[in-house]
Amino acid sequence: MSPESVTVYGMSTSGNCHKVRLLLEQLGRRFDWVEVDSANGATRTAEYLSKNPNGKVPMLARADGGILVESNAILCWLAEGTSFLPSDAWQRAQALSWLFFEQYSHEPYIAVARFIRGWTPLDSPRRTDLPRLLERGGQALVVMEKHLQDAAWFTGPDYGVADIALFAYTHCADDGGFDLSTYPRITDWLARVRATQAFVPMPGVSDDVAARLASS
Amino acid sequence: MSPESVTVYGMSTSGNCHKVRLLLEQLGRRFDWVEVDSANGATRTAEYLSKNPNGKVPMLARADGGILVESNAILCWLAEGTSFLPSDAWQRAQALSWLFFEQYSHEPYIAVARFIRGWTPLDSPRRTDLPRLLERGGQALVVMEKHLQDAAWFTGPDYGVADIALFAYTHCADDGGFDLSTYPRITDWLARVRATQAFVPMPGVSDDVAARLASS
């Protein structure tokens, strides 16, 4: 029996959303994608909030109407019983540890720096946050670089959910003002992720976002 | 065979650390507690960073030297195979979803507001962040209050890891300047958590922290 089809509500240029698309593609699983312009308030409508009161993407909906939110929880559910999530309890806990690291110590700095530089006006007051975000995000990259001294992947012996989650915003960290060329092990790991079977890249940003990133 | 004893490195007045103590007590599991003064740099020593390069508490060590970090990953590992973590995959994913909500949308506002009011000088420049933290933390409390319209617990049909994680900083949200009396369902849920078997309260803060909280 093949797993049921699911619907993903997401913004294609969001790393958190791309995590879900990447895993679904690599699982060869059928899915529908509903584009949600979360940068312009589409997650704040009454209809959207009735499904996800926290007003964020991505959101997964099952055919029976069941809803699951939080990108990394979605990854774990989709990966259950596959090689993308370790079956050994201790190793699975280590993968989960990296998923929490990603959401607490990595994404709030590296993704948010990219968002501010690409999606807010060049004179936005939020840009005063950038030095702090670069400092904290740099600390997260150092922790990743150190892990890769002794390991090929973050999920465990094999590629999986933690690699997908950390790839999401690490691969485009340069957009936020980080210099990935100073992290050689991360650079090698990004290449290994891109070489995994059925890998799909994150769609490019729109022309106006690209222009803002180039001017930042 | 009873589970092996573990060692927890933590700061007793940290909600993230208390999560681990509370679950261990409720599991009736043997553990040693090593007090780490993370508010005063004890997680930034070379020795500590050699075990946890991210320099945070809590940290769990097994007798064989295995290390696990990230409070919510520790909860999941300890709860594996017990009633504190749902065995059904969809329900487990929902519990995980609340764990990620806690670390992304709740703790960075509610715990950080408490930290700033209790652990930084009354004239700290960080206090200018408080209005934003109160706004965002209030949004998290609204999401929780809404969930409790139709549910008794966050973990699933039964009390478990997501309730322990959310209790950690919700129960002391008043310390951060939130008014829990305006959230009647959360108030009832906090009382239900306190009434669970083998519940242990978080230790009180030191006199100087208490004085600062009272003056804030």
Side-chain angles (χ1 to χ4, degrees):
Chain A
M1 193 182 84
S2 71
E4 59 164 339
S5 180
V6 294
T7 301
V8 181
Y9 295 79
M11 185 170 86
S12 290
T13 53
S14 147
N16 283 326
C17 298
H18 187 65
K19 293 173 187 176
V20 179
R21 187 198 295 270
L22 175 52
L23 178 57
L24 283 163
E25 292 284 0
Q26 296 197 306
L27 288 169
R29 190 158 168 174
R30 283 177 304 130
F31 66 97
D32 293 307
W33 184 275
V34 177
E35 191 67 21
V36 177
D37 188 0
S38 88
N40 287 295
T43 57
R44 293 280 154 194
T45 65
E47 192 198 345
Y48 195 89
L49 289 170
S50 73
K51 290 177 180 160
N52 178 8
N54 203 28
K56 294 188 192 300
V57 282
M59 172 171 78
L60 178 144
R62 302 198 307 190
D64 67 3
I67 297 283
L68 180 62
V69 297
E70 295 292 335
S71 58
N72 290 355
I74 295 171
L75 290 184
C76 289
W77 181 69
L78 290 170
E80 187 84 40
T82 78
S83 68
F84 294 88
L85 186 69
S87 56
D88 171 72
W90 181 253
Q91 193 53 63
R92 191 164 56 248
Q94 297 294 339
L96 269 180
S97 181
W98 283 112
L99 293 177
F100 285 109
F101 166 85
E102 190 267 336
Q103 284 287 285
Y104 192 87
S105 297
H106 182 290
E107 201 266 14
Y109 308 113
I110 297 178
V112 173
R114 174 177 179 255
F115 178 81
I116 290 175
R117 289 175 99 238
W119 280 265
T120 70
L122 293 174
D123 60 354
S124 165
R126 291 191 65 182
R127 288 175 184 253
T128 58
D129 285 349
L130 285 170
R132 188 182 64 91
L133 299 177
L134 287 169
E135 183 195 342
R136 299 289 193 90
Q139 290 167 2
L141 295 174
V142 167
V143 170
M144 291 175 67
E145 185 79 4
K146 184 163 168 43
H147 173 76
L148 292 169
Q149 281 180 3
D150 311 308
W153 304 111
F154 290 93
T155 305
D158 300 308
Y159 167 80
V161 289
D163 299 285
I164 291 172
L166 284 164
F167 180 85
Y169 287 106
T170 305
H171 88 277
C172 54
D174 285 339
D175 285 350
F178 299 91
D179 181 1
L180 285 175
S181 72
T182 60
Y183 302 94
R185 292 189 185 88
I186 289 177
T187 302
D188 287 351
W189 164 77
L190 291 171
R192 286 196 295 280
V193 173
R194 288 193 177 94
T196 55
Q197 198 178 8
F199 174 84
V200 288
M202 191 159 83
V205 297
S206 63
D207 289 347
D208 59 323
V209 171
R212 234 176 272 126
L213 287 172
S215 309
S216 287
Chain B
M1 193 182 84
S2 74
E4 57 164 341
S5 180
V6 294
T7 301
V8 181
Y9 295 79
M11 184 170 87
S12 291
T13 53
S14 146
N16 282 326
C17 298
H18 187 65
K19 293 173 186 176
V20 179
R21 187 198 296 269
L22 175 52
L23 179 56
L24 282 164
E25 292 283 359
Q26 295 196 305
L27 289 169
R29 190 158 168 173
R30 283 178 304 129
F31 65 98
D32 292 306
W33 184 276
V34 177
E35 191 68 21
V36 177
D37 188 0
S38 87
N40 288 298
T43 57
R44 293 279 154 196
T45 65
E47 192 198 343
Y48 195 88
L49 290 169
S50 72
K51 291 177 181 161
N52 179 8
N54 204 28
K56 294 188 191 300
V57 282
M59 172 173 77
L60 178 143
R62 303 199 305 190
D64 67 2
I67 297 283
L68 181 61
V69 296
E70 295 292 336
S71 58
N72 289 356
I74 295 171
L75 290 184
C76 288
W77 181 69
L78 291 171
E80 187 82 41
T82 78
S83 68
F84 294 88
L85 186 68
S87 56
D88 172 73
W90 181 253
Q91 193 53 62
R92 192 164 55 248
Q94 298 293 340
L96 270 181
S97 181
W98 283 112
L99 294 178
F100 286 109
F101 166 85
E102 190 267 334
Q103 284 288 285
Y104 194 87
S105 298
H106 182 289
E107 201 268 13
Y109 309 113
I110 297 178
V112 173
R114 174 176 180 257
F115 177 81
I116 289 175
R117 290 175 98 238
W119 281 264
T120 70
L122 292 174
D123 59 355
S124 165
R126 292 192 64 182
R127 288 176 184 253
T128 58
D129 285 348
L130 285 170
R132 187 183 65 91
L133 299 177
L134 287 170
E135 183 194 343
R136 298 290 193 89
Q139 289 166 2
L141 295 173
V142 167
V143 170
M144 289 176 66
E145 184 79 3
K146 184 160 167 47
H147 172 76
L148 293 169
Q149 282 179 1
D150 311 307
W153 303 111
F154 290 93
T155 306
D158 300 306
Y159 167 79
V161 290
D163 299 284
I164 290 172
L166 284 163
F167 180 85
Y169 288 105
T170 306
H171 88 278
C172 54
D174 285 339
D175 285 349
F178 299 91
D179 181 2
L180 285 174
S181 72
T182 60
Y183 302 95
R185 291 189 186 90
I186 290 177
T187 302
D188 287 351
W189 164 77
L190 291 172
R192 287 196 295 280
V193 173
R194 289 192 176 93
T196 55
Q197 197 178 9
F199 173 85
V200 287
M202 191 160 82
V205 297
S206 63
D207 289 347
D208 59 322
V209 171
R212 233 176 273 125
L213 288 171
S215 308
S216 288

